[in-house]
Amino acid sequence: MTDKQPYKIAFAGAPKVGKSTLVYCLERRNPQCQRTVDADETKRIIHIDIPLSLGHFCIAFASGSFVNETVIPTVLTGATMVVYVISTGIHPNIQRGFFDEYVACASQVGVHWNNVPWLFVLNTVEPLWENPLQDQIPPHFHDTIIHCVAIKEQGIDELWQRILDTIESRP
C-alpha cells in the first residue's frame, strides 16, 4: 500500500453500539493519529487518520444519533474495509433496521462483503455473548466475529490485529 492509496475503514452500526468507544480505544494505541470532525446540524462524521509503516489509513464513522440514511453513504463510500459493530445493549429490532440499511447502501456504493472485507464485532455491555443479528450475518462470518467489551477495553488488541492483518493482505 502506498500513501497515495489510503486504506479507508468504515466503522458501521446502529447508534449507541460502541463505535466511538472502540475507535477511541484504537486511537489511544496510536499516538500519531490525527482526528478530524465533519459536523453540522445534520451530521457528525469522525475521521481518524493513522500513519503506519505499512501505509496510511483512515477510520471513518458517524457518531451517535447522526447515524441515518443520508450519512451512511458518506461513511461507506470508498471504504476498503467495513467493521460492523453490534451490541447486546441495543434492542435487536433497532439494530436489524440499521443493519439492513447499511447492507443496502454498501451494495449501492460497491462495498458489500462480496467486494471488500467486513469484520463483525460483538460489543457486549453485559455478561451476554449472544449475537442479536446472528441470523442476518452470512454464516461464513459466524466463526470470525470479534468479541469486545469496549468500555473495559477488552478485545481491542484482537480487533486491532485483525484490522492490521486485513490491511497487510490487501492486494
Side-chain angles (χ1 to χ4, degrees), residues 16-17 87-90 123-128 148-151:
K16 310 287 185 207
V17 294
S87 176
T88 58
I90 305 297
N123 182 32
T124 59
V125 293
E126 54 195 53
L128 175 67
C148 291
V149 183
I151 58 172

Side-chain angles (χ1 to χ4, degrees), residues 7-71:
Y7 200 88
K8 179 182 177 184
I9 302 168
F11 267 68
K16 310 287 185 207
V17 294
K19 296 181 303 293
S20 299
T21 304
L22 287 168
V23 171
Y24 295 148
C25 287
L26 295 173
E27 181 182 32
R28 283 192 294 278
R29 284 175 160 56
N30 297 285
Q32 70 280 20
C33 293
Q34 183 176 12
R35 183 189 315 169
T36 57
V37 179
D38 178 13
D40 61 27
E41 3 359 279
T42 63
K43 70 177 183 284
R44 181 175 168 85
I45 300 173
I46 292 93
H47 301 271
I48 309 289
D49 291 307
I50 305 173
L52 294 174
S53 60
L54 56 111
H56 168 85
F57 70 95
C58 174
I59 295 174
F61 66 99
S63 178
S65 62
F66 291 98
V67 177
N68 60 52
E69 66 280 345
T70 59
V71 172

Side-chain angles (χ1 to χ4, degrees), residues 114-135:
N114 294 328
N115 308 104
V116 302
W118 279 50
L119 297 178
F120 289 93
V121 177
L122 177 59
N123 182 32
T124 59
V125 293
E126 54 195 53
L128 175 67
W129 290 95
E130 290 181 23
N131 179 342
L133 294 178
Q134 188 85 25
D135 59 332

Side-chain angles (χ1 to χ4, degrees), residues 84-128:
Y84 198 89
V85 182
I86 302 160
S87 176
T88 58
I90 305 297
H91 194 278
N93 289 340
I94 293 170
Q95 291 189 80
R96 190 166 287 112
F98 278 96
F99 183 76
D100 292 344
E101 181 72 31
Y102 271 106
V103 171
C105 183
S107 292
Q108 292 171 354
V109 300
V111 298
H112 189 269
W113 51 69
N114 294 328
N115 308 104
V116 302
W118 279 50
L119 297 178
F120 289 93
V121 177
L122 177 59
N123 182 32
T124 59
V125 293
E126 54 195 53
L128 175 67

